Amino acid sequence: MQVLYFAWVRERVGIPREEVETSAATVNDLVAELRAREERYEVAFADTSALRVALDQELAEFDAPLSGVREVAFFPPMTGG
Amino acid sequence: MIRVQSEVFDAGAELNAFSNRVAGAGAVVSFTGVVRDVTGGLSGMEIEHYEGMTEKALAAIRADAMQRWELADALVIHRFGRLEAGEVIMMVATASKHRKDAFEAAEFLMDYLKSRAPFWKKEVTSDGADWVASKDEDEDALSRW
């Protein structure tokens, strides 16, 4: 699936998007997989309460299932307006 | 109408065009957001957004407002990219037969834009650049709707 990062999450991970091969059942499982990969993911995902997630461009919870999802995006709370 | 763009826009001209489109509505309310220089050292702002999701989120927020209030129309324009202090970032406009509907819907649009549309602001100063943190009161503001 495509995994996208925005704002400081993007800066910490170092890339805006990547293709990730995963069998993670939920967003939390995917985060655990990413954190286990490399230090930069560990830093970006150190506190998931400071993050938001969107599945196929709809806001979701971290315990949401990933079945059928094509695009996962991680970002800090939004600051529009 | 929803627009997401990097280009500068003329808020006055947009408001006039909107008012002409909804002629007869009776009440038009608009809000314009401008890059403010809080610290006195701001050289500009960078606004990042999630292309695709932004347009969908704004359209959903607008549709929600149209359903909750009796509106003739609602306009949302939001910019992304590099902006200088004093530049217009965004505007909303609402039109209704009723003043209260127009005001409330405009506030609703602003509250939802703040924390449900995928935009992130980075302030650039002579000391460096920092992401603007979300505020708890922005999230709390949603509970009144």
Side-chain angles (χ1 to χ4, degrees):
Chain A
M1 62 182 62
Q2 281 289 314
V3 181
L4 281 64
Y5 311 102
F6 290 95
W8 57 255
V9 184
R10 171 179 54 75
E11 290 178 341
R12 287 182 194 178
V13 172
I15 47 172
R17 63 163 65 217
E18 63 185 319
E19 179 71 29
V20 173
E21 289 295 328
T22 180
S23 53
T26 67
V27 177
N28 279 323
D29 295 341
L30 174 63
V31 169
E33 279 184 17
L34 291 170
R35 287 182 66 165
R37 270 186 176 186
E38 281 176 60
E39 175 76 21
R40 58 197 171 108
Y41 293 96
E42 181 71 32
V43 171
F45 290 100
D47 177 13
T48 50
S49 73
L51 294 179
R52 301 286 180 269
V53 62
L55 303 181
D56 289 332
Q57 305 189 348
E58 296 278 349
L59 283 173
E61 301 296 328
F62 277 76
D63 58 3
L66 289 177
S67 165
V69 171
R70 284 162 301 160
E71 188 172 290
V72 181
F74 293 103
F75 40 78
M78 297 161 260
T79 53
Chain B
M1 189 207 282
I2 298 296
R3 265 168 43 207
V4 183
Q5 62 186 54
S6 59
E7 299 79 22
V8 175
F9 65 90
D10 180 337
E14 296 290 347
L15 178 57
N16 285 337
F18 179 77
S19 299
N20 288 334
R21 280 203 299 277
V22 296
V28 174
V29 166
S30 78
F31 174 85
T32 307
V34 179
V35 178
R36 63 175 188 269
D37 187 356
V38 180
T39 58
L42 189 81
S43 64
M45 191 171 262
E46 281 163 20
I47 300 177
E48 184 169 328
H49 79 123
Y50 183 171
E51 193 180 348
M53 180 175 171
T54 305
E55 291 79 357
K56 274 201 251 177
L58 292 182
I61 293 166
R62 179 186 176 278
D64 197 357
M66 296 291 288
Q67 197 167 31
R68 286 172 185 241
W69 288 277
E70 198 181 316
L71 300 177
D73 201 355
L75 169 73
V76 179
I77 307 176
H78 205 300
R79 291 179 63 196
F80 62 90
R82 168 84 191 198
L83 280 76
E84 306 304 318
E87 277 189 49
V88 171
I89 299 182
M90 52 81 57
M91 77 177 286
V92 302
T94 55
S96 174
K97 276 190 282 190
H98 315 289
R99 166 171 53 100
K100 196 163 177 281
D101 285 43
F103 268 114
E104 284 186 5
E107 285 210 63
F108 170 89
L109 288 171
M110 285 309 304
D111 283 347
Y112 271 80
L113 266 169
K114 281 247 165 238
S115 44
R116 289 292 182 274
F119 289 100
W120 300 275
K121 290 179 188 152
K122 192 179 202 180
E123 287 179 341
V124 184
T125 69
S126 46
D127 294 334
D130 262 318
W131 292 101
V132 175
S134 64
K135 298 188 189 74
D136 288 343
E137 55 257 41
D138 289 342
E139 192 64 31
D140 295 345
L142 300 186
S143 61
R144 67 177 164 143
W145 306 113

